[in-house]
């Protein structure tokens, strides 16, 4: 048994936890069918090393919010996130992915 794979786009946004609601509201407005949130993200970036701080509130830590959408939803998501990135630090990655169940991601067979 083999799976057919269907091209989609994955969007990963890494921002301070206090901006999580802004990102998820953009995803909801564009009708992304879902998203995953990974809290207490740490790493090294343009400005410095950011350590995860489990003892602090989620508002003070970095979070990664990910969604997978059809290509036609990428531009509306980018437009919706633009005001956030104009005022606050954070990064966004858009990559090509393939999914086996495209109906889970807002595209009918």
């Amino acid at each position: 048994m083999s799976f057919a794979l269907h091209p989609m786009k994955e969007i990963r946004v890494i921002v301070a936890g206090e901006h999580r609601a802004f990102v998820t509201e953009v995803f909801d407005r564009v009708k992304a069918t879902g998203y995953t949130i990974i809290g207490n993200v740490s790493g090294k970036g343009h400005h410095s090393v950011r350590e995860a701080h489990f003892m602090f509130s989620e508002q003070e830590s970095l979070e990664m919010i990910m969604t997978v959408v059809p290509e036609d939803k990428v531009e509306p998501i980018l437009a919706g996130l633009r005001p956030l990135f104009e005022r606050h630090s954070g990064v966004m990655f858009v990559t090509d992915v393939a999914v086996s169940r495209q109906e889970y991601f807002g595209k009918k067979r």
Side-chain angles (χ1 to χ4, degrees):
M1 177 179 177
S2 66
F3 284 108
L5 295 177
H6 308 277
M8 301 289 263
K9 296 290 186 180
E10 178 183 29
I11 299 175
R12 294 183 187 205
V13 179
I14 301 174
V15 292
E18 64 188 285
H19 304 301
R20 175 203 310 171
F22 186 96
V23 175
T24 58
E25 286 169 13
V26 169
F27 290 172
D28 288 339
R29 238 186 356 261
V30 175
K31 298 194 179 357
T33 58
Y35 46 81
T36 299
I37 299 168
I38 300 173
N40 293 311
V41 175
S42 61
K44 181 179 178 182
H46 182 72
H47 289 102
S48 64
V49 172
R50 286 288 297 256
E51 297 291 334
H53 297 289
F54 296 102
M55 64 198 97
F56 300 120
S57 75
E58 62 189 26
Q59 300 262 318
E60 297 170 357
S61 66
L62 290 178
E63 296 190 359
M64 179 167 44
I65 305 109
M66 307 179 317
T67 190
V68 174
V69 295
E71 187 165 0
D72 64 337
K73 293 189 180 197
V74 173
E75 279 303 318
I77 289 172
L78 299 181
L81 294 175
R82 187 171 295 117
L84 174 68
F85 289 115
E86 287 174 350
R87 284 175 279 191
H88 304 284
S89 63
V91 294
M92 177 176 43
F93 306 97
V94 179
T95 56
D96 293 323
V97 295
V99 300
S100 61
R101 295 177 171 176
Q102 69 178 344
E103 65 275 12
Y104 283 18
F105 301 93
K107 220 171 193 184
K108 306 294 181 229
R109 289 185 176 175

